[in-house]
Amino acid sequence: MKISEKFDPCFAWRAVELAARGEGHTRPNPPVGAVIVRGGKIVGEGWHRRCGGDHAEVAAIKDAARRGESVRGATLYVTLEPCSRPGRVGACTDAIVAAGIGRVAFAVRDPNPVNSGRAGRVLSRAGVECAVPSRANTLEGKWDPSGGMASALAAARRLIAPFAKYVTTGMPYVTVKLAMSLDGKSATGAGTRSGYRPRRRERSRDASASAWTR
């Protein structure tokens, strides 16, 4: 993909789908997904699976290598601004530069005020174009609420909401679910108020929570 080409919402959505696979398994890190595109084709993809494991960007670079694909000059779509400081693993910005990726599009800036915007500066100094997709640089102006770029960016923000709340306030992200009857009762004699489908959705939410109580 040439540097002058616009961002495609389809690839942004694919990165979000990958990020969702890591939800609930990466703490204290956020779930992140990444897709590498070259010549209009996905050549590598990955997601952060667990804390201490490869970050999404590195996983995608390794996936491209396994496929025998070159990422030089390619575009990397990632749901969160890449990390620019080494921690449990090396800095993703270093891996991006070393791989020769030409452009990085991230859906959300790092909410941590210490790191926010730093990756863009590091990558720009290394000659890598770095941007957040917008209406102006999105393919064919696909900026609609039914599945375009705006929806992809919003989904990426929702995925990191617990992480963003913690790094900006030091407090947990709290979700309250109540199942009550009109007379104020919270359970029947059988011990449940929710139906089968609500309980299934609740178990799904439990998987993405740090802690819960009933």
Side-chain angles (χ1 to χ4, degrees):
M1 179 178 285
K2 296 178 181 178
I3 294 297
S4 60
E5 291 184 1
K6 293 189 174 184
F7 298 116
D8 191 324
C10 293
F11 299 130
W13 266 113
R14 178 56 180 163
V16 170
E17 291 171 356
L18 292 167
R21 295 182 183 182
E23 191 175 21
H25 305 290
T26 62
R27 287 185 175 83
N29 296 340
V32 180
V35 171
I36 302 175
V37 178
R38 191 167 187 267
K41 181 185 74 171
I42 293 177
V43 296
E45 57 183 29
W47 68 96
H48 187 37
R49 296 169 182 261
R50 61 178 178 81
C51 181
D54 286 339
H55 286 189
E57 300 90 330
V58 173
I61 292 170
K62 289 182 176 180
D63 181 53
R66 283 192 293 268
R67 300 185 190 196
E69 298 281 1
S70 171
V71 300
R72 188 157 297 278
T75 295
L76 169 69
Y77 288 80
V78 61
T79 56
L80 180 65
E81 179 179 358
C83 68
S84 55
R85 303 175 191 271
R88 293 183 178 87
V89 297
C92 289
T93 49
D94 291 343
I96 291 168
V97 172
I101 289 172
R103 184 171 71 156
V104 176
F106 53 86
V108 186
R109 294 188 186 279
D110 191 329
N112 188 333
V114 175
N115 298 320
S116 183
R118 190 173 188 273
R121 296 190 294 272
V122 170
L123 292 171
S124 294
R125 285 197 297 267
V128 179
E129 183 182 345
C130 201
V132 177
S134 68
R135 183 190 295 271
N137 63 16
T138 301
L139 183 67
E140 299 176 2
K142 293 179 181 176
W143 190 271
D144 62 272
S146 62
M149 186 65 82
S151 297
L153 303 187
R157 286 192 294 272
R158 285 194 297 271
L159 278 173
I160 69 156
F163 172 76
K165 177 71 178 292
Y166 180 74
V167 297
T168 55
T169 69
M171 298 177 67
Y173 183 84
V174 177
T175 300
V176 177
K177 183 261 185 186
L178 298 174
M180 298 180 67
S181 60
L182 290 175
D183 61 359
K185 299 295 191 299
S186 59
T188 65
T192 180
R193 172 63 61 185
S194 299
Y196 172 70
R197 290 182 179 177
R199 288 201 301 275
R200 286 191 64 184
R201 289 195 296 270
E202 183 179 353
R203 285 195 292 270
S204 176
R205 285 192 293 268
D206 287 350
S208 63
S210 296
W212 57 90
T213 183
R214 293 187 176 87

